[in-house]
Amino acid sequence: MEKTILLVDDERMITEVLEAYLIKEGYNVVTSDNGLDALRKADSVKPDLIVLDLMLPDISGEEICRLLRKESDVPILMLTAKSGEEERINGIVIGADDYVTKPFSPKEVVVRIQAILRRTGKQAPQTDDQGEILTYNDNELILDLTKKEIVYRDEIVSVTPIEYKLLSNMAKYPGRVYSRMDLLEKIQEDGISYEGYERSIDTHIKNLRKKIESDPREPKYILTVFGMGYKFGGVPDAKNASR
């Protein structure tokens, strides 16, 4: 099935070039040059991924990302002229899945889009996850690996694709200690180098704890192993459902 990419940038030359490259790769492309229009199209078109420029004439890309994350887990690739570590980490904090710094190669953008779609499960089905449901602590936490949903205390939790990837990988092996680099490799799985991202794992873990821990300061699911990394502390239920 053809994937739809929403390109949001007020520089016409950028959208035209990226659109041409993406169409050549078989994607359906919708474009927007301002924030309000982008939000409307994101709601009506339901794109598989959004390429979002941070510098827009009406609403900042950061604010658009925050608004989208309240309603959707659509993958977001940010385009930014800011190359500092603080700016990159802030983009991850508010929900972006990746970023590309201007000026950039259109080919790199296409490769990163393909990589995001692969690791978020929107490019190809994860056959090893089909039909599997994992439950912990008397059904307090449920991971439906088929639907890629997380349920905490009977409510579906809205998580970003990266947060889902982190939790699902850790939950499959309770007690196993993962270094930050281990977790970084789990969410990448595409051979692309992401400088500075190792530190951003802490940010994703912090955000995830807010969503699945009754007290994030005293977590029972995502535990810190000092000097080493993190491990999943949930207790698997005796009868997990599987295919």
Side-chain angles (χ1 to χ4, degrees):
M1 184 176 178
E2 192 176 61
K3 302 297 181 182
T4 298
I5 308 298
L6 174 58
L7 294 179
V8 186
D9 199 308
D10 62 336
E11 295 185 52
R12 186 174 179 181
M13 182 178 296
I14 288 179
T15 55
E16 287 181 348
V17 171
L18 288 179
E19 182 177 16
Y21 271 79
L22 288 167
I23 290 175
K24 184 179 179 181
E25 292 295 324
Y27 294 100
N28 178 46
V29 180
V30 178
T31 64
S32 177
D33 62 4
N34 67 82
L36 288 175
D37 181 61
L39 289 170
R40 284 193 293 265
K41 288 180 176 175
D43 183 59
S44 61
V45 175
K46 305 297 182 186
D48 295 283
L49 183 143
I50 298 175
V51 178
L52 177 62
D53 182 34
L54 292 186
M55 303 296 289
L56 295 170
D58 53 350
I59 307 175
S60 71
E62 289 96 338
E63 183 60 24
I64 292 173
C65 188
R66 290 189 185 95
L67 292 171
L68 287 170
R69 279 292 170 257
K70 291 180 180 180
E71 306 292 338
S72 171
D73 65 353
V74 60
I76 297 174
L77 171 63
M78 281 189 169
L79 302 180
T80 174
K82 303 174 181 178
S83 59
E85 182 182 53
E86 184 176 344
E87 287 77 13
R88 298 198 304 268
I89 291 178
N90 183 58
I92 300 299
V93 169
I94 61 178
D97 294 271
D98 197 3
Y99 72 93
V100 175
T101 304
K102 295 181 178 180
F104 53 77
S105 160
K107 289 183 179 180
E108 179 188 1
V109 174
V110 172
V111 169
R112 287 186 181 269
I113 287 172
Q114 293 170 337
I116 293 171
L117 291 175
R118 281 199 303 272
R119 71 175 182 258
T120 57
K122 294 181 180 290
Q123 186 74 9
Q126 302 297 313
T127 56
D128 61 331
D129 286 352
Q130 289 183 354
E132 191 173 2
I133 297 175
L134 305 178
T135 69
Y136 304 90
N137 294 61
D138 295 323
N139 288 314
E140 181 181 59
L141 179 67
I142 301 172
L143 274 69
D144 188 327
L145 302 179
T146 304
K147 297 179 180 179
K148 289 183 166 42
E149 286 183 349
I150 295 172
V151 179
Y152 177 66
R153 293 184 174 177
D154 298 322
E155 292 188 5
I156 295 177
V157 179
S158 177
V159 295
T160 68
I162 288 180
E163 289 168 356
Y164 171 82
K165 195 78 171 179
L166 285 172
L167 183 59
S168 61
N169 274 284
M170 294 176 68
K172 290 175 185 177
Y173 303 98
R176 175 177 173 179
V177 178
Y178 291 87
S179 69
R180 290 169 179 81
M181 185 56 69
D182 290 335
L183 294 174
L184 185 59
E185 290 174 355
K186 291 293 184 183
I187 64 175
Q188 288 178 199
E189 295 184 351
D190 50 39
I192 295 177
S193 174
Y194 290 76
E195 287 187 22
Y197 268 33
E198 186 177 353
R199 180 180 156 196
S200 72
I201 291 295
D202 295 339
T203 300
H204 290 302
I205 293 295
K206 180 180 179 181
N207 292 337
L208 194 51
R209 279 173 172 165
K210 291 177 181 178
K211 300 175 181 181
I212 65 166
E213 303 281 7
S214 57
D215 183 358
R217 294 169 298 181
E218 296 290 338
K220 67 179 181 181
Y221 286 111
I222 304 179
L223 308 179
T224 299
V225 181
F226 293 100
M228 298 180 69
Y230 299 98
K231 69 178 181 179
F232 184 77
V235 179
D237 294 333
K239 293 184 179 180
N240 278 340
S242 61
R243 52 180 171 172

